[in-house]
Amino acid sequence: MNNTPLPKDIPLDLPLPEWLLVILLVVSFLAHIVFVNLMVGGSIATLWAEIKGLRNKEYDILAQEIAATITVNKSLAVVLGVAPLLSINALYTIYFYTANSLTGIMWILIIPMVAIVFLLTYLHKYTWEAMANMKLLHIAINALAVAMFLFIPLIFLVNVNLMLFPEKWMSVRGFLSALALPNVFPRYFHFICASLALTGLFITWYMGRKNYPFEEYFQVFTRAKVKRIGYQLALGASVAQFLFGPIVMATLPAKGFSWSMMGVILSGVVVAVYAVYYMIKTLRGSDADLDKYFKRIVISMSIVVVFMGSGRHVYRANALNPHRELMAQKTAEFEQASKEAREQALNKQAEANEAIAAAEASGDNTAKGKAVFNNYCAACHKETSLLVGPPVTEMKEIYTDKKADLIKWIKSPGKKRPDAPQMPPFPQINDTDMEDLTQYILNIK
């Protein structure tokens, strides 16, 4: 921690108990990320199917049907993203906003990029027939949307990843620098695989529903054919996750690992193996048995999502807890020092007021002027030597026979010296005290 920035925390109470905010963060994030996965995976699947549709019309129909779901999943992803964003802001304020600042312009660009990609998605969805004779242009619109769909989560991932490593903050110089951290791309490709796996299962369910008018759209493809496409996509992406998963673990700093974290992750891996086994068994079976294990697979994959999301939070807590403890200690020290400084200031103010009152009671205007000076001016001015501002003897030289100008300056000063800070105004000094103060300044020896 020697080279790690250690800022003071914001001493504000959380809006909810911390344990409740943690639960809200994990649960709301999982709900959000599922629809993000479907949005990203669906856009990739649509692009793949529409390109294949150049030679086989059935794939173009499949692409159009998948594209129809993307805007819905997009809307759900956005709405469900509010709760985790607010939760992580409350729980990890310093870390989240520091990462925002370090990733710079890219983080700010998320909002216009999201707006543009959503418009592209709607344009692509609602011009399918109008651009039937301009398929390459139509595909290009989708390709641009896919590229942006892929880039926006990368920005989020870089930002959330960076907040876990305060020790890297001093070496990061913008988005590209944060992007170069060794665990960013393994985590990103793991996310892409998860998106494709969930999209594959979604296609299997969506196209296989009994109330879905499959025969109205497809002339050659059967439900079994499309279901198998979905299963194949889910299986291939899940197997790829098994390849990227160990790379993610190997590139994450050891500071976040614990037996509890490993237990959660390995439990998720075991359940994922179970789901993959039944995907393989389903694809090797007959068309009549394609729905036999579907619920089992979906439930298993849902459990995997819960385990992985929980493991992610456990790693984050483990990684940040030592830094948070040090930051809490520094914050407590700052608050104590601030409290003592306020108390000292109040005591000095009380003493100064007593001195002014005593001088006023004695009728000694010179003593009162000095007491007023000590109360308001002595922090920056000495009688005969330079402190923050010029000495009193210099003021006397400037304002001899110009008391009115001196009073005006004290009440509303400007800035004369480039090497000194501007003097603050003192409108709170009443006329009687101001008279005694200026008289004391102009009579200093």
Side-chain angles (χ1 to χ4, degrees):
M1 289 289 178
N2 290 338
N3 297 321
T4 302
L6 200 62
K8 296 184 293 291
D9 201 355
I10 301 174
L12 299 175
D13 293 331
L14 291 173
L16 293 171
E18 185 173 357
W19 65 267
L20 184 56
L21 274 175
V22 169
I23 293 174
L24 180 62
L25 172 60
V26 173
V27 173
S28 61
F29 172 76
L30 292 178
H32 163 68
I33 200 66
V34 165
F35 288 99
V36 171
N37 289 150
L38 293 176
M39 177 181 70
V40 174
S43 66
I44 297 172
T46 298
L47 180 61
W48 166 80
E50 190 172 9
I51 291 173
K52 287 184 71 68
L54 293 173
R55 294 189 176 184
N56 186 333
K57 180 65 175 178
E58 294 290 284
Y59 278 103
D60 190 72
I61 297 171
L62 176 62
Q64 187 173 10
E65 290 303 294
I66 299 173
T69 69
I70 295 174
T71 51
V72 177
N73 290 327
K74 172 270 299 178
S75 298
L76 290 169
V78 171
V79 172
L80 293 173
V82 174
L85 188 61
L86 293 177
S87 300
I88 202 168
N89 278 331
L91 284 167
Y92 300 100
T93 307
I94 293 291
Y95 303 94
F96 188 71
Y97 282 102
T98 300
N100 291 352
S101 300
L102 291 173
T103 50
I105 188 66
M106 284 300 177
W107 180 253
I108 298 173
L109 285 177
I110 284 179
I111 293 177
M113 282 195 292
V114 166
I116 292 170
V117 73
F118 287 175
L119 291 173
L120 288 171
T121 303
Y122 283 113
L123 177 64
H124 179 259
K125 176 180 177 178
Y126 291 111
T127 58
W128 212 285
E129 286 76 21
M131 300 185 70
N133 296 323
M134 297 179 285
K135 289 302 293 182
L136 292 180
L137 178 59
H138 194 244
I139 291 172
I141 293 172
N142 190 22
L144 180 58
V146 169
M148 296 184 73
F149 268 133
L150 291 173
F151 188 58
I152 292 169
L154 181 60
I155 299 175
F156 271 99
L157 190 148
V158 167
N159 191 75
V160 173
N161 182 70
L162 182 58
M163 63 178 277
L164 300 181
F165 309 116
E167 66 274 14
K168 303 290 186 182
W169 291 349
M170 297 300 289
S171 61
V172 168
R173 297 292 184 270
F175 175 77
L176 293 179
S177 180
L179 186 65
L181 294 177
N183 56 308
V184 170
F185 280 105
R187 289 183 65 180
Y188 178 68
F189 290 129
H190 196 264
F191 158 78
I192 297 299
C193 291
S195 298
L196 293 173
L198 288 179
T199 298
L201 293 178
F202 176 77
I203 291 172
T204 300
W205 165 78
Y206 184 77
M207 304 289 183
R209 292 171 300 150
K210 290 182 179 180
N211 60 346
Y212 177 72
F214 190 91
E215 290 73 17
E216 292 182 14
Y217 300 113
F218 296 93
Q219 305 300 319
V220 178
F221 281 0
T222 62
R223 286 181 187 264
K225 166 75 173 177
V226 175
K227 286 181 180 180
R228 286 186 179 275
I229 290 174
Y231 274 124
Q232 288 166 356
L233 177 58
L235 176 60
S238 297
V239 171
Q241 280 189 292
F242 285 118
L243 299 177
F244 284 113
I247 300 175
V248 171
M249 301 294 283
T251 54
L252 283 172
K255 66 174 186 173
F257 285 90
S258 65
W259 287 112
S260 59
M261 180 262 186
M262 291 300 298
V264 171
I265 295 297
L266 290 177
S267 297
V269 172
V270 170
V271 178
V273 170
Y274 176 86
V276 166
Y277 168 77
Y278 279 102
M279 287 184 207
I280 295 173
K281 191 170 183 178
T282 297
L283 286 171
R284 288 181 174 178
S286 65
D287 289 350
D289 293 331
L290 285 175
D291 295 329
K292 186 175 182 180
Y293 303 114
F294 182 75
K295 288 183 179 179
R296 187 177 305 187
I297 293 170
V298 170
I299 292 172
S300 300
M301 293 298 284
S302 299
I303 294 173
V304 171
V305 170
V306 172
F307 274 125
M308 295 305 173
S310 300
R312 168 195 174 109
H313 178 75
V314 173
Y315 181 89
R316 175 169 50 219
N318 291 342
L320 290 180
N321 277 345
H323 188 269
R324 295 180 81 187
E325 290 173 1
L326 290 174
M327 192 166 64
Q329 179 181 340
K330 182 173 182 179
T331 302
E333 292 171 354
F334 169 77
E335 289 182 304
Q336 181 61 31
S338 177
K339 178 182 178 182
E340 292 174 357
R342 290 194 300 271
E343 290 174 349
Q344 290 176 2
L346 289 174
N347 292 336
K348 288 183 178 180
Q349 183 67 49
E351 293 173 0
N353 290 338
E354 289 176 4
I356 293 172
E360 190 172 31
S362 68
D364 187 346
N365 292 336
T366 300
K368 183 185 175 187
K370 184 173 183 179
V372 174
F373 177 87
N374 289 335
N375 187 23
Y376 293 106
C377 311
C380 296
H381 300 278
K382 288 187 176 182
E383 290 185 354
T384 59
S385 61
L386 179 69
L387 188 60
V388 177
V392 180
T393 52
E394 187 175 330
M395 299 180 204
K396 178 182 177 181
E397 292 176 4
I398 296 173
Y399 290 104
T400 296
D401 298 327
K402 298 178 182 177
K403 181 186 284 190
D405 291 341
L406 178 57
I407 293 173
K408 183 178 179 182
W409 174 266
I410 294 173
K411 288 185 175 181
S412 182
K415 181 174 174 62
K416 291 182 177 180
R417 303 167 189 266
D419 57 342
Q422 179 172 331
M423 175 178 164
F426 290 93
Q428 68 271 35
I429 302 177
N430 61 49
D431 292 342
T432 302
D433 289 349
M434 182 67 76
E435 179 69 25
D436 293 331
L437 170 63
T438 52
Q439 190 65 30
Y440 166 75
I441 293 173
L442 294 176
N443 288 305
I444 195 75
K445 295 180 181 179

